Each structure stands twice: as C-alpha cells, then as structure tokens.
Amino acid sequence: MSRPRTFLESWSRRSAPERFDTYTRGSLYFLSAFEPFFALSILGAEPTFDRDLVLPWLVVVVAHTIACVALLRAGISQFLGGPPVRPWLGTAAVVLTVALVVVAVPTFPVGDGDEGAVAGRFFAVLLGVMPLLAAASPLLLFRHLLLAALGATLFTVGATVATAAAVGTDPSRTSTFAGVAVFMGLATFFMAVGIVGSYRVSIWMLGVVWEQDRTRVLHARLAVAEERLRFSRDLHDVFGRTLSVVAVKSELAAELAARGRPGAEEQMLEVRRIAQDALREVRAVVAGYRSADLGAELAGARSVLRSAGITTTVHGDETPVGQEAQEALAWAVREAVTNVVRHSTATTCVITVHRDGGSSVVEVVNDGVPATARAGRGSGLVGLAERLEGAGGALETWVDDRRFGLVARVPDPRPDRPSTQPERTASA
C-alpha cells in the first residue's frame, strides 16, 4: 500500500496554472472569510454598543461571510467557463446583507450628542456592503461594478447624514458632520473601487492563465496533427497513382485472359514490377520519416516548442562529423523535445550544438521541472542511450533548480571502426 502524498509532494506535482489557480482562489477566499475578525475589531474599538444584540449581529456576520464566500466561489467558476451561479445563492447573499445592516443599526445606537458612535455604525454598515460587492465582482462588468461602488457611496453618505440628524447636534456642528459625511463617502468609494477592482483583476488574470494553458495544449496538438497530415499526404502522393495503374493493368490482364488473347501474362508481370517499385517508394517514404536529420530536427523542434508556447533558443551551427553522428544527435533532439512538451511545464528551452574535442555534442536544457523530479531514465531515454551507444556515444541527464538538462555526445568516426548503420535494401 503506497503512502499518502504530503502537501509539498502534491504541490510540486501541480502545473503552473494549477498553482496560480490555487494561490489566487485561496487569497480571495481568505480575504472574504476575514469578515468576522473585522467585526470583532469594530467591537473592540467602539465601546458604545448594545450587548444584548452583539451575539445576533455576530451570527448574521458569520452567515453573511459563508454566503459571500459561496457566491464568490460560484462566480469564479462561472467566469472560467463553469456552470452558472444558482439564483438562490445571490438572493441569499443580498438578503443576509440587508439583515446585517438592519441588525447593525440598533447594535450600535447613537444618542444625543454622541458623535463618536457614528464611526462604529458606519463601519458596521460598511461590513455588510463591501463583502457583497467583492463576492459579486466575477459576475458584473466593470461599469456595473463602478455603479455599485457609487451606490455604496451614496448609501453611506445618506446613512451618515441620517445618523447626524438623529444625534441632534447644534447648528455649530452641522458643518463638522457634513465634512464627516463627505469624508466617509469618499472613503467608501475608494475602498469599494480598490477591493472590487483587485478582486476582478485577480480573477481576470486567472482566466488569462488558464486560456494560455489551453492555447499551449491546443498548439501542441495541432503540431502533431500537422505532422500526421504531412505523412498521410506523402503516402497518398506516392501510392495513389501507382495503385491506379495497378488496377488498370490488372483489369486489362483479366480481360485478355477472359478473351483468350495473348498479353495477359505480360501485363501481370508489369503489375508485379509496378508493385515492387511502389514497395520501394513506400519504404523510402517510411525510411525518410523514421530517419532523422539534425538540421530538420532543430527546425522542427523550434516550431513545435514555440507552438506550445515555449520560448526556444538554438545556439551553434557546428555540423557533426559523419552521417552516423548526425542521425544519432538528431534522435536526441527529437526525444528531448518530446519530453519537454509532454512531461514539463517549461516556459524556456535552450538547444546548443557544439564541438568538444573529438566529439559532437547536443545539449537541451529546459525549465518547468517538478521539484521532486530526478535525473532518471524513462523508456524513451533508455532507447536513446542505446542508440547513442551504438554510434559510440553517451547520454547524460541532470536536474538542478527545477531545470532539466540532456547532453548527447557522439565521437567522430575512426577509420578503423566500421559503421554500425544498417544497410537499407530495396528488395521486395
């Protein structure tokens, strides 16, 4: 029975978009869930409150927090292409916001001449409005969010003015309350714009990251589909005309044989010759597809990696000595690029071709390697190592600081060492 993975192991196995998604969602949920602690800080800073109504107010605050976090979660899911938000969820958040404001007003009473209680009621009312705006940020357009922020500002100014009227201050303090109302209104507006804007921008960035990841995967699939299309087109061009000729001559031979005329045997021998020629052509196409050319592989690697959204740099133009080294190093480039696309979350890849003494060397280095990755050898790398050993070379791999390196080395051919390349024949 395998042991359960630790948090760090599970985290290291996640892709970059998954990590960014977890970090962004967690940050937004944490900020929204902090509402009860703000409520406690209001109680600690404002000594004037109704102790009998504190517990109901805190209960409504907790329920309001849960509803806003649930609405925010559903809104993010809808923004990223998931199911739409259920109407009852938004209704519950709005109803709890109204209930929170209604309960907050008597919880923080304002008596005659008690101007200090205005701030407590102001923040208690604000505590119900701001989380609702933040939770609704994924569901509304920017202009709608600005209108909501403006509405919250007007509501705060009106509540402050109404509170000032209830205090019953003398005319000499009217200007002071007017200034307080304007200040609180501006504070509400800028807080609403800042909070809602930061929520909306974070969610928008999350959508951009997932869209880039989907585009990267799509480009990689298109590159594979394009290669398959090229191969099928080559087979069609080689085999199409030949099979048409074989069909025509076979029908002619059958017609001559049916009528007892001479020439059927000659036509069938011609069909055999054409079939042998077609077999040689197909083998040539397959051999060209299976063989590897270093220049073509470097160009293909640059195209495939860039299509997958990976910044690719190729250094060096040294040509390996010998056809055997050319093909072996070309296979190394092909295998390395395949591993980069399939098994990493790389953003950059550097391919270097150079000479090292009497050897030709190809080095492929990419980032995006999981922290728990090791320089082991999968089946593809084992096959590549065997191919390089057949050419007298060697394969090295390393992992360092979330980077993976593959170094393929093939020595120059010696005159006394026979070639290990199999001789291709065209026999039927």
Side-chain angles (χ1 to χ4, degrees):
M1 182 177 180
S2 60
R3 66 178 181 86
R5 295 177 182 174
T6 63
F7 172 77
L8 293 179
E9 290 176 342
S10 301
W11 179 262
S12 62
R13 291 178 180 270
R14 295 185 178 184
S15 62
E18 289 175 340
R19 294 180 185 179
F20 185 80
D21 184 283
T22 301
Y23 171 77
T24 303
R25 289 175 184 255
S27 300
L28 298 180
Y29 295 160
F30 176 79
L31 292 176
S32 296
F34 213 71
E35 182 180 347
F37 297 95
F38 283 118
L40 294 177
S41 66
I42 294 174
L43 292 176
E46 176 54 49
T48 305
F49 54 83
D50 190 339
R51 297 182 181 275
D52 295 334
L53 295 178
V54 167
L55 183 58
W57 179 64
L58 290 178
V59 171
V60 177
V61 167
V62 173
H64 182 259
T65 302
I66 296 174
C68 288
V69 173
L71 179 61
L72 177 63
R73 182 177 181 273
I76 294 176
S77 178
Q78 177 179 324
F79 186 87
L80 297 178
V85 177
R86 297 179 180 179
W88 65 265
L89 194 57
T91 303
V94 173
V95 170
L96 286 173
T97 299
V98 175
L100 183 58
V101 173
V102 171
V103 176
V105 170
T107 303
F108 296 90
V110 179
D112 293 342
D114 189 8
E115 296 90 347
V118 175
R121 179 176 291 184
F122 164 74
F123 287 110
V125 172
L126 202 62
L127 189 64
V129 176
M130 288 301 173
L132 178 63
L133 293 179
S137 58
L139 305 175
L140 302 177
L141 299 177
F142 276 106
R143 59 177 179 269
H144 297 154
L145 294 175
L146 289 177
L147 291 176
L150 182 60
T153 302
L154 296 177
F155 174 78
T156 304
V157 172
T160 305
V161 172
T163 302
V167 172
T169 58
D170 52 64
S172 62
R173 296 185 179 182
T174 303
S175 59
T176 302
F177 271 97
V180 171
V182 173
F183 172 77
M184 290 184 175
L186 292 176
T188 303
F189 180 77
F190 286 113
M191 279 193 295
V193 171
I195 294 175
V196 173
S198 62
Y199 269 65
R200 183 55 183 258
V201 170
S202 299
I203 297 169
W204 173 77
M205 291 176 60
L206 183 59
V208 171
V209 169
W210 279 117
E211 184 63 28
Q212 288 182 342
D213 184 69
R214 287 191 293 267
T215 303
R216 177 176 176 269
V217 174
L218 179 60
H219 284 176
R221 291 178 178 176
L222 289 177
V224 174
E226 183 178 358
E227 181 64 17
R228 291 175 177 173
L229 180 61
R230 184 194 68 80
F231 184 64
S232 63
R233 184 172 58 248
D234 291 345
L235 284 179
H236 176 270
D237 293 343
V238 169
F239 236 18
R241 182 185 62 84
T242 302
L243 290 179
S244 298
V245 174
V246 167
V248 171
K249 287 188 171 293
S250 299
E251 291 178 0
L252 178 58
E255 186 69 20
L256 292 176
R259 295 184 180 184
R261 294 185 179 182
E265 181 180 356
E266 180 181 351
Q267 293 296 328
M268 291 307 300
L269 291 175
E270 182 69 13
V271 168
R272 187 182 69 175
R273 184 189 64 79
I274 295 174
Q276 291 175 344
D277 292 341
L279 180 60
R280 282 192 293 270
E281 291 178 348
V282 171
R283 285 178 173 174
V285 171
V286 175
Y289 185 77
R290 290 181 176 175
S291 64
D293 176 74
L294 183 58
E297 288 300 327
L298 290 175
R302 185 185 291 108
S303 176
V304 170
L305 292 174
R306 288 181 178 176
S307 296
I310 302 174
T311 303
T312 306
T313 305
V314 179
H315 296 298
D317 56 356
E318 292 83 354
T319 302
V321 177
Q323 178 63 27
E324 195 172 5
Q326 278 261 6
E327 185 166 346
L329 294 180
W331 275 104
V333 172
R334 180 181 295 184
E335 177 64 24
V337 170
T338 301
N339 290 337
V340 171
V341 174
R342 290 183 178 179
H343 306 303
S344 75
T345 58
T347 58
T348 61
C349 181
V350 179
I351 304 175
T352 306
V353 182
H354 62 92
R355 300 274 301 162
D356 184 10
S359 301
S360 300
V361 181
V362 165
E363 184 173 2
V364 182
V365 180
N366 65 276
D367 60 358
V369 179
T372 57
R374 299 178 181 177
R377 292 187 175 183
S379 58
L381 293 179
V382 171
L384 177 61
E386 294 174 352
R387 186 183 296 273
L388 291 172
E389 290 173 359
L395 175 67
E396 300 175 8
T397 58
W398 53 266
V399 176
D400 181 26
D401 192 21
R402 301 183 62 82
R403 296 188 306 152
F404 181 84
L406 181 148
V407 181
R409 187 184 307 271
V410 178
D412 298 340
R414 299 191 305 269
D416 57 340
R417 184 170 69 90
S419 173
T420 59
Q421 289 280 19
E423 181 181 358
R424 296 189 180 96
T425 61
S427 59

